[in-house]
Amino acid sequence: MTSARRARYTGSHVISVNPAYTGQRCSVCTVVDRRSRESQAVFRCTSCDHTEHADVNAAKNILTAGRAEHAQPRPGVRVGARKPRNRVGRKANRQATASGATAKTAPRTAGIPRLL
């Protein structure tokens, strides 16, 4: 099963992150220096002397980048915008409101439940 399919099955999201320089960037002070990666397993920042396993440091950087990407608003979508309702529902509500206004009676909802 692919990761996107697994995410859909579990209700999760898959966010693509550019992994460039995540193994060379310090997860504490965010300085990028290739000399900080001493070996395959050791990361020691040349700026703040933070020491950690290199893969754990890279994973923290990827997590931070993914969270930042997820926090960005989608283009063309207003913050706090509501999803459009079903087209049939809007038409039915409009017709019910129009008929209720002319007859001076309580507006009918045409069988559509109203959420409070």
Side-chain angles (χ1 to χ4, degrees):
M1 216 188 273
T2 64
S3 60
R5 194 169 177 197
R6 280 190 208 121
R8 198 172 342 132
Y9 180 74
T10 61
S12 304
H13 298 282
V14 175
I15 300 172
S16 298
V17 175
N18 185 2
Y21 303 107
T22 55
Q24 299 173 5
R25 178 180 291 122
C26 179
S27 62
V28 175
C29 66
T30 67
V31 171
V32 178
D33 187 6
R34 67 179 177 174
R35 293 176 296 172
S36 295
R37 186 84 181 242
E38 290 183 357
S39 67
Q40 182 67 27
V42 178
F43 179 87
R44 183 171 291 122
C45 181
T46 57
S47 177
C48 69
D49 290 332
H50 170 71
T51 304
E52 193 169 25
H53 192 280
D55 292 339
V56 172
N57 182 63
K60 287 180 181 179
N61 289 329
I62 290 172
L63 178 64
T64 302
R67 286 181 173 163
E69 181 70 27
H70 184 67
Q72 295 295 324
R74 293 176 295 172
V77 176
R78 219 181 37 201
V79 175
R82 291 180 12 196
K83 287 172 49 177
R85 290 188 215 150
N86 188 354
R87 193 161 188 67
V88 174
R90 278 193 305 209
K91 185 176 180 183
N93 284 336
R94 197 172 337 135
Q95 289 172 348
T97 305
S99 67
T102 57
K104 302 266 186 197
T105 60
R108 295 178 297 173
T109 57
I112 299 172
R114 183 171 221 159
L115 299 176
L116 300 175

